[in-house]
Each structure stands twice: as C-alpha cells, then as structure tokens.
C-alpha cells in the first residue's frame, strides 16, 4: 500500500505527536461553536517552527487541507477541522521568547495563552491589552487569526492594533516576515500585519509574533449601575460618550444574562432589567476627576442602584459575572448560539427592540450581553438541541439579527470572525465583486485553498464540501473506512 | 504631464482603464513621493474633498480622500474631537496622502498610528474596480482587512477615494515640558523609566541640543487635573533633570511639529526599534534629527541620501523620504515582500499604479 502523505508525516513526527486514532481525534472535532462537529483525518503536534513549515509544505505538495488550531475556542466555528483534513495543533509552541520592558514588547510563539503574556509582563508594570473573555485559555495564534477583541477595545483596539511584527508561513510554504520592534510596526510600505491579522487562518500560520505591551494603568474605577429598563441603560451609554469621557470599557447585560451570571458565578449583581458597567483607567488624578463626572452622569441617567468597586477584589467580582456570562448561559439552556454583530452605538436601542420582537417570532429566549461602547452586540440565543427544529429556528433567528446589524449600518461580526458560522451572511455585507476580490487574494496566497478550507466564504464554493469519493487522507492511506 | 482632476470614483475607474501607468496626487505636499510618476498619467484627487459623514457620538468620520487634513481637524475640533494618530504636515497634506504615506505626528504616542484608527475605505484598484474595504463602525472583523493594508502602501495597490476613521474626544488642556540630559544614554534611561511608569503622556520626543540632549514631554488633560499631574511628573523626574515648563515660551504648534527644525536636501522617516537608537545615532550624528513617539521613529534631514541609504541598509532599517528631490523615496533595507507581491498580483496585475 502506498501511504506517501502519512509516511512523510511520520518522518517529521514521532507516533505520540501524530494522532490518527478515533479516540485521539475526538477532542479536536469541534470548537467553541459546539453546534458543529467534524472529524479531522489526523492531528499533528509540532514543537517548533521548522516542523510547522515542513508540515505546511507537505500539505501544499499533497494538496492536503489543514487547520492550524490553538485551544479551539473560536465562537464562529473558525477552528472546526476540515473534514478528513489535517489539524496542526500549536499548543506546544507555547514559549514566551522574550519580554523586553524597555521597548515594551513581547516576542511569543503562536501557542502561548493570551493571559500568560500579561502574567509574564506584570513584573515590569506592563500588560497585554486585548482581553477576550476566553483569555485564560485562548492562544495568541487564534487571536491573530480572528483579530480577537474583548471588553477593552474601545480605547486601545483589537488584536491587530497590538501586533508589531510577525514571521509567518504562507499556505504554499513560503516563509516571510514583516513589521518590527518599533511601535510603528511595519511603518513603511503596506501594512501586512493589518492584512494578515483577522485572515481567519486562510493565508497561513503565524510562527512568531512581536506584541506591543501597555503600561498598567495606575488606577481603575469601575462602576456598576442597575436600571429597570434596558433602553435607559443604552441611553446612559450615549450620555457617557457625549460627555467627552473615554472609558476603557462600557458593557451592558440584560435580565436573562444577569440571571445566568448569578446562577453561575454568584457575582452578587442587583436584581435589574439591565446592568451597565463602565470602567475608567489611567493616571490617578485624572481618573478620580473623571469618575466624579461619570457618577454624576449615571445618577442623572435614572439608575436605581450604583455600586463602585472600592478594591481590586470588588472590581474582579464585577468583571467575573460579565466575563463568565457566556458559559453561565449554559446553566439556563442546554444549547446556545452567540452572535457578535455590530451596530452604530446610537442605534443600539433600535437593535435591542428588534431582537425582542424576533424572540417572539421564533419562540426562543435571547440573553443580551454587549460591548456597548463599540456597539458590539452579543445576543445569546438559547435553544434545546434535542427538540426537533430548535437549532434551525435558532440559526434563522441568528441570521435575522445579522441582517439587522448590516441594515443599521454595522457589521456581521465585531470580533468572533466569519468562520464556518457566518459564511452565508458575507453577501449581506459585501458585494459579489468584493467577495470575488477577497477570494482572488486568498488564491494568490493559497492557490489550492488548503489553509482552513471552507471557512469565511459562502458555502457553495468550499472545495471541502464538494469532495467526492475518497477523501484526501484516505487517498493518502492515513485513514480508512473499515 | 498635467494632472487630471478626478471628481468621482467612476471617473477614476475610467482613468485607470484608459491609462498605462497612473500616479496619484493629493496636494503634492510630499515632494519626494512623486518621483516615480515620471511619464505616468497623473490623477489629481484633491477634488475628492469634504466631510461625507460625521457622527461625533459614534466616534467615526468619513471623508473624501482629497480632503485637506486641516479641514478634517477643524471639523472634529468643533465637536471636541481629534484624529489621535496626529497627521503630519497638517497644514498642507490631504488625508488620503497621509494614509498612503503613513505619516503620523508626535501625538501618535498616546493612542496609536493610522493603522489603529482607520476603519474602512472606498478604493479603486489597478483594474479600475471600485469597491469597499473594511467597515464604517468602530469594530468590525468581517473579511480581510484591506483598509489597514493600504496604510503606507504609497498608492501602489489601490487608490483610496473615501476613508472612514475612528476618532476620540480630545483633551481641553496641554502642558509641554523640556528635560535636559548631558548624554544620550542618560536621556534613554529616563525614557525607559517613563515607559514603565504610570505617566500617560500625550507625546514624547527628543533631539540633540546645545550641550546635550533635550527630552520633550507633553501632557493632556482637563484644567482641573492637569496641574497636579504636571506637578507629580516634575517631582518624579527632577532627581535626574528638572523639567522646564515650555508651554508658554514656545509656539506649541511648531514645538510639536517634528519636522519644524529639519532642513536639508531630503527629509526622511526611519522606523526604529528603540534598542537600536544608540548604534543608529552614531551613524547619523552629523545630521539634524528628531526622535519621535518615545524613540520608535526618527526624522532626519540629510544632504546625502545615498550615504544614509547605506547606513540604513547596514542597520537593517528602512527609510522613507518625504521631501526633497530624491531618486527613490524608499531607502535602506529592501521593502520587497512575498505577501505584498501576491496582493499586487490581484489588485494591480498590470503594474499600472506607480
């Protein structure tokens, strides 16, 4: 029997780092979007960049679709394996190569966990700013692929804004570097970092990343305000923004999300229709003065209760409920879908009212948690997968929310990316020509469309889904249907 | 060649289809960047001028690419907002040219550069196709982010006709301080200290000065909180060098224009990792220079571009000439990149955009 692909993989990887048995593959079958599952043909666990490069070149040579995967926390199905393709799991490339406090940078491998960078930078009073809710498990490689955000994006931006330099292997095996250790990043010539970050793994794999670190703010002031009306909380956001303040975070949770957070982490939140969290950060004299102003605004906005975090513990407790809200919803419902569409901030109220109507139409509950400061919604659509047709109803509802975001002048995704889940909604936001140009770009970098095949672009054209007869790994003898 | 005034995106598409080689002009403020034009048809985009959408409460603004930077800044200032990347040559450049050349001023230190504030654009590529990249809201992760790619792309991949930026509320008050140091290492030690401190400075530049080096720090804030912050900064720093408040002595507009005192045949931007400054500075010791954004960028004036090119190559650094009659605006380490070449093959396969 001829097993060229597997045989060459075996020359790179010892048996314990080349997984092909069903039981070994199981943990890789789905990601943070659990509604989808798909079985890879094999998983490899490289330990250094040479192994990654060799593997990508091999995939290119054999036309083998591959997915580079970190912790698999994607909420858009972006790290769902390509059926019968190869998964390149990067978790073992988890070295923080260098923290340079003088230059305020960190040089890391793609499998490093987001929060570990902040932990390593802490002794120098520095931190890594992007803080997706999954920051204690998600990896920088995945953050780069999806340009991850978090609650603190308004002031300091998303992942892309914190990457200064990269070494990458493109999907055809070409290795290239761009950017620098200057905070200007690329600085001269097209900003290749801006292009690569957020490309959802379709261009290739980041091998080494230089990140910008930020000085830890001297003081945080976090306020939690309770409202008996969701619209009033939304109006308070507009008042805060209009005041000229620039908070580090502005978050809203609705009744159902509050209930979930209470059931799960017992954050001690007030019983309310809506909670608003606003956080100021910076130099102490500035923050103290701004906080007095902020309290005045919130008092005037009709909040019936206001709590101020007096200590780091109290601040952590406020955030714990918010950051745990997604997983907390699991306590209210066996299954849920989370969307992350964006609307202009001024149209948040309109969007929430429309979502409320959709709930009735589809007979489903929706919990709302959102980054109100940047208009980034996170409706959590609750359903029971065991009930016939429930998933389909939930998906239809999700689709209507995305269309709504676009019609209000926003985006179908603020930070989770298109992935598998929102492929079919790309045409609501981009014209056919715009999608064609993006696809041409992808093919110019990955002519065989092997890197994370089947993601981002509308379904019909995904080669993986058109596969007939033997699948690639089967053809190569890696797997068989016995 | 006489520039052709472009008044719509459709006209630009036609212009690109009709001509073999096309070079874009805004106000022509960066003279060194137009040398490649030689023989190409010139598209004058200064006519694509005006604020198209501005929603202060959304922190977003959409503007024609040919709009003068001063015009944009004035519109924002009316609502107490600003472009945090602090466009350079603010008195004469257009916003499109500023993005294409990626030129930020000293205040970029606080929140970030153009790439951090561009949200989207309308463009026309080398094939004359008009399309949108990015979005119009402050947060968007859909599709490839070509709007960031175009920052610094020098009009060689696609021509921007309309731009959307994120903007921020500006501070009402500023103070500028000068700190003098006998040597560069002394000054760099002070910068290291500041960078790991709690001080959030609006700008941090330095230059050689008579008898040593001068560090310039700018603080921004409200009238109530600025004095105590300036006081604390002064107290903290004075052990090594007593800061002098120069807000009153000098015209702050020229003080914070990094090019103000630079004169020479060519003015050059160099992207500089801070750790390379000591070595770099020995190579440019006889040039007029200013280090900006906390020592992550150098502005140089030189009469010997060839010599500077050689020095930069040896150091593995890149430079961009903005002003002057130079042969090539790009000097130092080569810019060629395989990923950029792939993008060029899609957006401008015939190599029309020069």
């Amino acid at each position: 029997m001829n097993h060229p692909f597997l045989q060459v993989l075996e020359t790179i990887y010892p048996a314990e780092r080349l997984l092909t048995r069903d039981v070994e593959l199981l943990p890789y079958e789905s990601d943070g979007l659990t509604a989808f599952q798909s079985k890879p043909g094999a998983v490899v666990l490289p330990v250094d960049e040479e192994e990654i490069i060799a593997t990508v070149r091999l995939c290119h040579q054999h036309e083998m679709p591959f997915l580079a995967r970190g912790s698999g926390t994607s909420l858009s199905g972006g790290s769902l394996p390509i059926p019968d393709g190869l998964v390149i799991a990067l978790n073992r490339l988890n070295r923080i190569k260098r923290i340079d406090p003088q230059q305020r940078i960190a040089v890391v491998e793609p499998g490093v966990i987001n929060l570990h960078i902040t932990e390593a930078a802490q002794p120098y009073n520095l931190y890594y700013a992007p803080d997706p809710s999954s920051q204690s498990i998600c990896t920088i490689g995945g953050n780069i692929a999806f340009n991850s955000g978090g609650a603190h994006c308004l002031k300091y931006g998303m992942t892309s804004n914190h990457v200064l330099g990269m070494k990458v292997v493109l999907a055809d095996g070409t290795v290239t570097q761009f950017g620098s250790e200057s905070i200007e990043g690329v600085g001269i010539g097209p900003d290749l970092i801006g292009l690569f970050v957020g490309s959802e793994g379709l261009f290739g794999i980041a091998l080494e990343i230089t990140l910008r670190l930020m000085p830890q703010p001297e003081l945080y002031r976090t306020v939690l305000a309770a409202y008996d009306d969701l619209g009033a909380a939304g109006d308070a956001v507009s008042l805060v923004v209009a005041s000229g303040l620039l908070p580090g975070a502005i978050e809203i949770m609705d009744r159902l999300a509050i209930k979930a957070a209470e059931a799960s982490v017992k954050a001690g939140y007030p019983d309310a229709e809506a909670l608003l969290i606003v956080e100021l950060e910076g130099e102490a004299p500035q923050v103290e003065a701004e906080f007095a102003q902020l309290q005045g605004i919130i008092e005037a906005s009709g909040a019936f209760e206001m709590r101020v975090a007096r200590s780091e513990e109290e601040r952590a407790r406020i955030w714990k409920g918010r950051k745990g809200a997604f997983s907390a919803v699991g306590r209210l419902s066996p299954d849920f879908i989370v969307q992350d569409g964006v609307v202009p901030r001024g149209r948040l109220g309109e969007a929430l009212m429309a979502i409320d109507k959709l709930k009735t139409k589809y007979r489903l509950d929706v919990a709302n948690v959102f980054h109100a400061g940047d208009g980034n919604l996170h409706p959590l659509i609750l359903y029971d997968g065991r009930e016939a047709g429930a998933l389909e109803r939930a998906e239809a509802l999700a689709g209507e929310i995305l269309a709504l975001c676009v019609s209000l002048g926003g985006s179908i995704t603020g930070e989770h990316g298109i992935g598998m889940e929102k492929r079919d909604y790309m045409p609501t936001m981009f014209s056919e020509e715009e999608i064609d140009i993006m696809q041409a770009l992808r093919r110019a970098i990955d002519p065989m469309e092997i890197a994370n095949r089947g993601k981002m672009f509308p379904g019909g054209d995904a080669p993986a889904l058109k596969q007939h007869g033997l699948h690639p790994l089967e053809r190569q003898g890696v797997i068989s249907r016995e | 060649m006489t520039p052709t005034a472009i008044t719509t995106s459709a006209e630009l598409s036609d212009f690109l289809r009709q001509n073999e080689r096309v070079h874009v002009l805004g106000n022509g403020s960066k003279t060194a960047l137009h040398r490649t034009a030689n023989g190409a048809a010139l598209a004058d985009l200064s006519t694509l001028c005006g604020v198209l959408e501005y929603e202060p409460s959304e922190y977003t603004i959409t503007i024609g690419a040919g709009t003068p930077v001063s015009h944009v800044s004035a519109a924002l200032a009316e609502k107490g907002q600003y472009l945090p990347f602090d466009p350079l040559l603010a008195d004469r450049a257009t916003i499109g040219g500023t993005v294409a050349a990626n030129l930020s001023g000293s205040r970029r230190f606080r929140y970030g550069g153009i790439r951090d504030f561009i949200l989207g654009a309308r463009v026309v590529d080398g094939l004359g196709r008009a399309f949108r990249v990015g979005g119009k809201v402050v947060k968007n992760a859909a599709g490839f982010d070509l709007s960031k790619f175009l920052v610094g792309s020098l009009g060689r991949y696609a021509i921007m006709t309309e731009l959307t930026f994120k903007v921020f509320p500006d501070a009402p008050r500023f103070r500028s301080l000068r700190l003098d140091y006998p040597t560069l290492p002394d000054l760099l030690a002070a910068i290291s200290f500041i960078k790991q401190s709690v001080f959030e400075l609006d700008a941090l530049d330095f230059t050689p000065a008579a008898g040593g080096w001068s560090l310039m720090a700018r603080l921004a804030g409200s009238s109530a909180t600025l004095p105590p912050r300036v006081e604390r900064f002064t107290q903290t720093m004075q052990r090594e060098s007593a800061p002098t408040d120069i807000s009153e002595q000098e015209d702050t507009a020229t003080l914070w224009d990094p090019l103000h005192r630079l004169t020479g045949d060519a003015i050059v931007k160099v992207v500089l990792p801070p750790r390379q400054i000591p070595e770099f500075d020995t190579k440019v010791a006889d040039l007029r220079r200013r280090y900006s954004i906390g020592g992550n960028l150098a502005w140089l004036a030189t009469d010997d571009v060839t010599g500077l090119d050689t020095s930069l190559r040896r150091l593995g650094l890149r430079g961009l000439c903005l002003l002057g009659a130079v042969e090539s605006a790009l000097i130092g380490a080569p810019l060629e990149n395989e990923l950029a070449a792939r993008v060029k093959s899609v957006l401008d396969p015939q190599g029309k955009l020069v």
Side-chain angles (χ1 to χ4, degrees):
Chain A
M1 241 176 112
N2 183 24
H3 306 162
F5 189 76
L6 182 60
Q7 276 171 7
V8 196
L9 274 183
E10 281 171 349
T11 65
I12 305 176
Y13 298 96
E16 70 272 17
R17 295 197 286 114
L18 170 57
L19 317 179
T20 53
R21 292 184 301 136
D22 277 0
V23 61
E24 297 172 318
L25 301 180
L26 198 64
Y28 297 91
E29 283 184 6
S30 80
D31 60 10
L33 180 68
T34 49
F36 289 86
Q37 279 177 358
S38 147
K39 192 195 262 185
V43 176
V44 290
L45 305 168
V47 292
D48 58 35
E49 65 176 47
E50 284 73 31
E51 289 188 349
I52 301 176
I53 295 166
T55 308
V56 169
R57 287 184 176 158
L58 197 63
C59 287
H60 178 69
Q61 205 181 325
H62 291 262
E63 207 175 320
M64 174 64 63
F66 68 86
L67 161 79
R69 185 187 195 271
S71 300
T73 56
S74 171
L75 291 168
S76 60
S79 48
L80 196 71
I82 297 128
D84 308 319
L86 184 69
V87 170
I88 304 175
L90 300 173
N91 310 67
R92 298 196 182 188
L93 279 100
N94 60 355
R95 282 159 289 216
I96 296 177
K97 292 184 166 178
R98 191 152 57 90
I99 299 277
D100 180 342
Q102 256 82 39
Q103 299 196 110
R104 292 206 300 220
I105 59 164
V107 181
V108 305
E109 292 183 332
V112 170
I113 286 172
N114 173 303
L115 193 61
H116 291 181
I117 300 166
T118 287
E119 286 167 2
Q122 226 147 23
Y124 310 101
N125 287 326
L126 300 171
Y127 77 113
Y128 176 64
D131 63 336
S133 292
S134 56
Q135 71 184 129
S136 58
I137 44 168
C138 64
T139 64
I140 286 297
N143 290 177
I144 282 179
F146 285 85
N147 194 15
S148 306
H152 292 81
C153 288
L154 179 62
K155 202 164 173 180
Y156 294 117
M158 324 225 296
T159 299
S160 187
N161 305 106
H162 298 269
V163 180
L164 302 177
M166 309 178 77
K167 178 178 182 185
V168 307
V169 55
L170 300 181
D172 65 356
T174 307
V175 175
T176 177
Q177 269 177 288
F178 32 85
S180 69
E181 293 185 0
S182 159
I183 59 168
E184 266 283 273
V186 174
I188 292 172
D191 193 334
L192 294 163
I193 294 172
L195 178 66
F196 195 93
V197 178
S199 58
E200 304 203 354
L202 270 61
F203 289 166
I205 303 178
L207 302 171
E208 185 183 282
I209 307 109
T210 302
L211 298 167
R212 164 172 80 153
L213 300 174
M214 313 272 296
Q216 277 171 2
E218 181 180 12
L219 185 68
Y220 287 102
R221 275 281 176 264
T222 312
V223 61
L224 177 81
Y227 294 84
D228 49 24
D229 175 56
L230 189 54
D235 292 344
V237 174
S238 304
L239 293 173
V240 171
V241 168
S243 72
L245 293 174
L246 184 59
I250 310 178
E251 301 281 309
I252 291 181
M253 297 169 75
D254 74 357
R255 172 169 283 286
L256 197 52
I258 300 165
K259 189 176 150 199
E262 276 306 306
S264 158
V265 300
K266 298 189 176 50
Y269 285 159
D271 181 24
E273 281 304 313
L275 288 181
L276 170 69
I277 300 171
V278 185
E279 184 164 274
L280 297 171
E281 60 188 34
E283 279 189 52
Q286 186 76 21
V287 172
E288 296 286 15
E290 289 179 351
F291 194 64
Q293 188 187 350
L294 176 65
Q295 280 179 296
I297 295 166
I298 289 179
E299 269 161 26
S301 72
F304 68 78
E305 188 179 337
M306 187 159 72
R307 292 182 191 173
V308 178
R310 299 278 170 209
S311 63
E312 192 47 44
E313 290 74 57
E314 288 178 8
R315 174 178 178 246
R317 188 150 358 112
I318 289 178
W319 279 111
K320 193 177 172 193
R322 165 60 189 88
K323 293 210 171 189
F326 287 7
S327 47
V329 167
R331 294 193 165 232
L332 301 184
S333 166
D335 300 290
F336 67 90
I337 295 177
V338 56
Q339 290 291 348
D340 74 315
V342 182
V343 297
R345 199 163 28 215
R347 308 191 76 170
L348 270 175
E350 220 173 308
L352 291 170
M353 265 161 57
I355 291 173
D356 212 47
K357 286 208 183 105
L358 289 170
K359 279 182 354 195
T360 320
K361 178 175 167 190
Y362 287 95
R363 291 170 287 119
L364 290 168
D365 254 334
V366 179
N368 285 292
V369 175
F370 44 96
H371 303 315
D374 34 37
N376 193 181
L377 306 169
H378 283 93
L380 296 131
I381 302 157
L382 314 186
Y383 69 98
D384 182 346
R386 290 164 301 189
E387 184 193 319
L391 171 62
E392 289 72 20
R393 280 207 324 277
E395 287 191 315
L397 168 51
E400 286 215 38
I401 294 177
L402 296 181
L404 171 76
C405 290
V406 175
S407 72
L408 292 175
S411 167
I412 55 177
T413 174
E415 52 188 7
H416 300 170
I418 304 294
M420 173 63 83
E421 183 196 30
K422 293 185 275 286
R423 293 181 307 175
D424 293 340
Y425 298 97
M426 279 288 273
T428 61
M429 196 163 156
F430 297 102
S431 72
E432 205 177 309
E433 187 175 46
E434 285 159 358
I435 292 175
D436 282 350
I437 290 168
M438 283 191 239
Q439 280 187 312
L441 202 56
R442 190 267 182 93
R443 282 192 295 270
I445 293 160
D446 177 9
M448 289 180 293
E449 305 183 38
I450 53 173
N452 212 2
R453 178 183 282 182
K455 310 293 164 58
M456 192 188 285
F457 295 111
D461 295 311
L465 304 176
K466 285 195 208 156
Q467 198 74 47
H468 294 299
L470 296 178
H471 51 65
L473 281 175
E474 197 170 26
R475 215 160 47 213
Q476 304 294 351
V478 175
I479 50 162
S480 58
R481 279 181 275 191
E482 285 167 15
Chain B
M1 193 157 295
T2 317
T4 303
I6 303 291
T7 58
T8 64
S9 168
E11 275 179 34
L12 185 58
S13 291
D14 289 342
F15 190 76
L16 272 150
R17 291 193 180 109
Q18 287 154 8
N19 289 286
E20 293 286 303
R21 294 170 72 240
V22 172
H23 181 80
V24 190
L25 274 176
N27 284 346
S29 65
K30 295 167 281 290
T31 51
L33 297 179
H34 302 298
R35 306 287 290 180
T36 50
N38 105 68
L42 297 176
D44 173 3
L45 262 60
S46 63
T47 33
L48 293 176
C49 173
V51 173
L52 305 170
E53 286 170 44
Y54 176 32
E55 292 291 341
S57 64
E58 299 294 336
Y59 290 175
T60 57
I61 190 165
T62 299
I63 28 200
T67 312
V69 165
S70 55
H71 191 118
V72 183
S73 297
L76 292 170
E78 260 180 50
K79 302 289 179 188
Q81 297 185 334
Y82 78 127
L83 291 167
F85 57 83
D86 190 17
L88 198 76
L89 300 169
D91 58 333
R92 42 207 153 121
T94 62
I95 195 73
T98 303
V99 173
N102 189 13
L103 296 177
S104 295
S106 302
R107 295 189 70 193
R108 176 220 191 289
F109 183 69
R110 179 68 185 92
Y111 290 114
I114 297 174
R115 66 182 308 276
D116 302 310
F117 287 88
I118 190 165
L119 296 175
R122 280 186 185 276
V123 303
V124 175
D125 72 3
L127 295 171
R129 295 178 293 194
F131 57 99
R132 287 174 317 136
V133 295
K136 277 189 174 176
V137 279
V138 294
K139 204 171 186 186
N140 170 35
F144 301 139
D145 195 348
L146 275 166
S147 62
K148 281 198 180 67
F149 173 85
L150 292 172
V151 176
S153 65
L154 299 170
R156 293 178 191 181
Y157 298 81
I159 301 171
M160 296 166 274
T161 55
E162 185 183 307
L163 288 152
T164 302
F165 295 101
K166 176 160 95 166
V167 299
F168 275 168
D170 201 1
R173 294 271 187 282
F174 303 92
R175 304 300 285 176
S176 299
L177 303 168
R178 197 187 72 224
L179 296 85
D180 295 319
Y181 296 89
T183 68
L184 180 58
D186 293 327
L187 180 141
L188 293 176
I191 289 197
S192 275
F193 171 80
I194 292 170
K195 282 191 185 168
Q196 290 169 69
S197 75
V198 296
F199 300 115
E200 293 184 344
L201 301 181
D202 194 47
L204 186 65
D205 284 7
F206 52 99
T207 56
W213 286 79
S214 286
L215 180 63
M216 285 165 294
R218 180 162 141 140
L219 285 88
S222 63
S223 48
T225 62
L226 203 49
R229 285 175 55 219
V230 169
E231 174 63 22
R232 189 168 66 144
F233 181 73
T234 306
Q235 291 285 334
T236 310
M237 299 305 294
Q238 71 181 4
R239 204 148 42 106
E240 304 295 333
S241 167
T244 314
D245 192 327
I246 49 171
S247 314
E248 309 299 326
Q249 296 165 23
E250 302 210 32
D251 172 16
T252 48
T254 55
L255 182 67
W256 291 107
D257 171 7
L259 307 188
H260 176 58
R261 292 207 170 103
L262 300 184
T263 48
D265 284 356
I267 305 295
V268 185
K269 163 185 170 171
V270 176
V271 176
L272 189 63
R275 68 179 163 80
Q276 281 186 271
I277 292 175
E279 190 190 4
F280 174 81
D281 197 69
T282 62
K283 303 284 189 294
V284 296
D286 51 350
L287 301 185
R288 283 180 187 272
R289 58 205 185 277
R290 173 158 169 157
Y291 295 94
S292 194
I293 53 170
N296 284 274
L297 192 65
W299 300 106
L300 307 166
T302 181
D303 294 337
D304 175 17
V305 177
T306 317
L308 181 60
D309 179 40
T310 310
S311 302
L312 291 179
R313 278 172 194 271
R314 285 195 190 128
L315 292 163
L317 298 172
R318 289 197 183 102
L320 176 73
C321 302
L322 320 180
L323 307 176
V326 296
E327 223 163 275
S328 164
L330 292 163
I331 61 171
L335 192 59
E336 284 72 37
N337 178 282
E338 188 57 33
L339 180 54
R342 309 279 177 93
V343 181
K344 181 82 174 174
S345 76
V346 173
L347 297 184
D348 184 27
Q350 296 151 10
K352 279 190 177 184
L353 298 170
V354 294

